[in-house]
Each structure stands twice: as C-alpha cells, then as structure tokens.
Amino acid sequence: MEQDRIPCRRCLLNEMSPEGYFRSIYEYIESIPAEDKTPDSEYRRRLELCKECPSLLNGLCRECGCFVEVRAAKRRQRCPAVRARWEALS
C-alpha cells in the first residue's frame, strides 16, 4: 500500500511528491532571473552531488536548512557542507 511506504530520506522534493505538493518551490526556482540562475547541466550536477550527501534529508540540507533544489538553482551559491563541492560560478 502507498501509505505503508517508508519516506525517502535521500530524495529531492520532486521525487518525494510528484503530484506537485511542492509546486511553489519550483515556481520560485522558475522565477529566478536568468543571470542569477545556474545553467541546467550544472544544476543537475549539483543535485546529483546532493543526493550522495549524508546531509540530505527529505529534500532539505541538514547543514543549512535550505531546500537543496533552491540552493542548487542559484548560480553563486556554494555547498554548505563541503565548500569545494560546488565551485561558485562567476
């Protein structure tokens, strides 16, 4: 049964709720100005790194409390756990 499913602890928001429960998060990401937004390939790379990180918990970073998908979408953000993991784009 669906309700007996154990919640994913190392998932991104869109993997936890494909029905769109977190739609406002993605609307916010879409509203980030192009000059401030991470290029798509870098965004995907950052999210893959987050999915491997032990600090990811239910779409949130336990290091800083942010939604990782939002942090990864912002061009000049850095990973709060391992500074060198994401090099800030200039």
Side-chain angles (χ1 to χ4, degrees):
M1 290 178 72
E2 188 68 28
Q3 60 202 124
D4 293 337
R5 200 172 99 189
I6 297 172
C8 180
R9 300 182 70 69
R10 280 251 184 97
C11 288
L12 301 172
L13 297 176
N14 69 350
E15 296 167 333
M16 291 173 22
S17 179
E19 311 79 48
Y21 181 75
F22 299 104
R23 183 176 29 246
S24 61
I25 298 293
Y26 293 101
E27 288 170 355
Y28 172 76
I29 291 170
E30 287 298 316
S31 75
I32 297 171
E35 63 272 10
D36 297 330
K37 202 169 193 179
T38 304
D40 286 341
S41 61
E42 176 64 11
Y43 178 69
R44 288 189 303 272
R45 184 185 78 83
R46 289 177 177 191
L47 292 180
E48 286 304 313
L49 290 170
C50 286
K51 288 174 66 172
E52 296 170 5
C53 181
S55 294
L56 177 64
L57 180 64
N58 299 325
L60 296 171
C61 174
R62 292 189 298 174
E63 299 293 323
C64 69
C66 72
F67 289 108
V68 297
E69 287 151 296
V70 172
R71 187 178 198 91
K74 295 179 180 178
R75 183 179 195 91
R76 289 186 170 46
Q77 290 290 321
R78 294 187 181 270
C79 170
V82 181
R83 296 284 178 200
R85 185 175 290 153
W86 299 354
E87 290 300 319
L89 300 173
S90 20

